[in-house]
Amino acid sequence: MIRSVLITGANAGLGKEAAKQLAAHAEIDMIYLACRNPEKALAAQKELEGETGRSIFKILIMDVSNLHSVRTAVQNLAKPVDALVMNAGGTGGRNFNRLNEQGVTEIFAVNLLGHAVLTEELIKAQKLIKVAMYAGSEAARGVQEMGMKQPEFIDSSVEEFISVCDGSLFGDITDATIPYGPIKYMGAMWMSAMARRYPEVRFITMSPGATTGTEGFNSLSFVKQYVMKTMMKVMLWLGKVHQVETGAQRYLRSLFDTSLVSGTFYASQKGLTGPISDQSKLFNDLANHKYQDNVYLAIKKICRLVKA
């Protein structure tokens, strides 16, 4: 039975909605809202308490793009959690391709590196008990409807994956959607590698699908925000995307549905909404253990360059 959950990026959008839905389960008695902004975290906590009538939400200050903040948050976590929801992410801000102090791009840090370190630190401290869920994306296998090509690699070597981490694979670009798919691909592969290394924990990559009502586009330029949000509204009207409540339901399914296989990447079977399926059936590379291990090793190599 899952009783406690830690959610990153929990002050808005999918993270906040997932916290709200989790509170409807009587057995859940603690939900950690991991947020980088204390004021927004407090506002979310008060709103969730008002909406659910439960005082089970505890703020944990954490910026997943900053490894010192991640490690400090793990140290400040008083008790182990049954489940981890790695929801934080997005397009990495206006300077998504800029290298941070860890030597990786901002978009890679917020979507993957911070979560990889968070998970490893929780396991090392024996503070993660049952389930780890990573928010995947259909972009990891290509999204024709959104103009995102299937990620392509020359040899899927450790070195090539490191070039995704530091952005050198993409060169000087201005479109955050270009690295987003490959990074989410790496996230799913890393989760599969972790599942084989830590069989005592279930590792599920789950895409929330194309979801309206999130802040995923807010760091884009005004013009790109307008285009993307308008397109999402049209696609919602056409039934090709869904609302935030449905996306959060997928998160909860990854925690509670034990029929989902550890190490598997689940997302829309077709398009961006509707029934989910194992994405390796759509993109064979996702089931390749060698590629998974190379992603794992690439992240490990990056982490060794970072001082604890």
Side-chain angles (χ1 to χ4, degrees):
M1 182 181 293
I2 294 174
R3 302 184 66 89
S4 57
V5 184
L6 191 162
I7 306 172
T8 66
N11 64 280
L14 284 159
K16 183 180 175 185
E17 176 62 27
K20 178 181 176 181
Q21 292 186 20
L22 281 166
H25 292 253
E27 70 273 17
I28 300 291
D29 56 22
M30 179 61 70
I31 300 174
Y32 291 94
L33 307 175
C35 311
R36 64 181 178 181
N37 186 304
E39 293 182 0
K40 290 183 178 180
L42 183 59
Q45 180 189 44
K46 290 182 177 179
E47 189 172 338
L48 284 166
E49 288 177 345
E51 290 178 344
T52 66
R54 303 191 68 190
S55 298
I56 60 172
F57 306 96
K58 186 176 180 62
I59 295 171
L60 183 66
I61 299 302
M62 180 195 303
D63 179 355
V64 294
S65 68
N66 183 294
L67 300 191
H68 175 72
S69 174
V70 169
R71 292 184 172 108
T72 299
V74 173
Q75 292 173 3
N76 292 337
L77 188 64
K79 297 179 180 179
V81 293
D82 293 319
L84 169 65
V85 174
M86 292 173 271
N87 164 72
T91 53
R94 299 187 187 278
N95 298 307
F96 71 92
N97 208 33
R98 181 180 61 190
L99 296 183
N100 66 10
E101 62 182 11
Q102 284 92 41
V104 302
T105 60
E106 296 287 353
I107 190 172
F108 185 83
V110 72
N111 280 287
L112 183 48
L113 184 61
H115 283 135
V117 171
L118 170 60
T119 305
E120 294 268 13
E121 291 291 322
L122 286 171
I123 291 173
K124 184 169 66 176
Q126 297 183 328
K127 291 183 177 181
L128 177 58
I129 308 301
K130 296 181 179 179
V131 187
M133 189 227 81
Y134 175 74
S137 169
E138 283 81 0
R141 46 88 164 152
V143 183
Q144 190 174 21
E145 294 89 337
M146 301 290 282
M148 294 183 180
K149 297 180 180 179
Q150 188 174 85
E152 295 181 355
F153 297 97
I154 297 173
D155 58 6
S156 297
S157 64
V158 173
E159 291 70 24
E160 189 171 24
F161 288 131
I162 287 177
S163 73
V164 175
C165 304
D166 62 21
S168 60
L169 180 67
F170 312 107
D172 187 14
I173 55 175
T174 58
D175 185 354
T177 64
I178 293 174
Y180 183 76
I183 290 170
K184 285 298 187 179
Y185 167 92
M186 287 182 65
M189 300 294 268
W190 165 72
M191 286 286 285
S192 296
M194 289 289 286
R196 288 186 282 111
R197 285 164 173 80
Y198 300 99
E200 68 277 11
V201 176
R202 291 177 62 244
F203 287 86
I204 302 294
T205 299
M206 175 67 77
S207 171
T211 306
T212 62
T214 74
E215 297 186 346
F217 301 129
N218 287 9
S219 60
L220 297 175
S221 67
F222 175 78
V223 174
K224 286 184 178 180
Q225 279 190 54
Y226 177 79
V227 171
M228 295 300 287
K229 290 183 178 181
T230 299
M231 182 169 60
M232 290 290 283
K233 288 180 180 179
V234 172
M235 292 178 73
L236 179 63
W237 180 70
L238 294 173
K240 293 184 178 295
V241 303
H242 50 243
Q243 295 181 331
V244 68
E245 291 83 2
T246 300
Q249 286 169 10
R250 286 191 180 188
Y251 281 3
L252 267 66
R253 181 176 175 184
S254 69
L255 302 185
F256 297 119
D257 186 350
T258 56
S259 71
L260 299 181
V261 179
S262 184
T264 303
F265 169 28
Y266 294 96
S268 302
Q269 183 174 322
K270 182 180 180 182
L272 297 162
T273 188
I276 62 171
S277 69
D278 176 354
Q279 297 296 285
S280 69
K281 307 299 182 184
L282 303 176
F283 188 14
N284 292 337
D285 283 13
L286 290 163
N288 189 307
H289 285 192
K290 181 179 179 181
Y291 296 171
Q292 294 169 4
D293 289 341
N294 284 349
V295 167
Y296 177 85
L297 291 172
I299 293 173
K300 280 292 188 180
K301 282 195 172 184
I302 289 292
C303 288
R304 290 194 190 103
L305 300 176
V306 179
K307 294 182 179 179

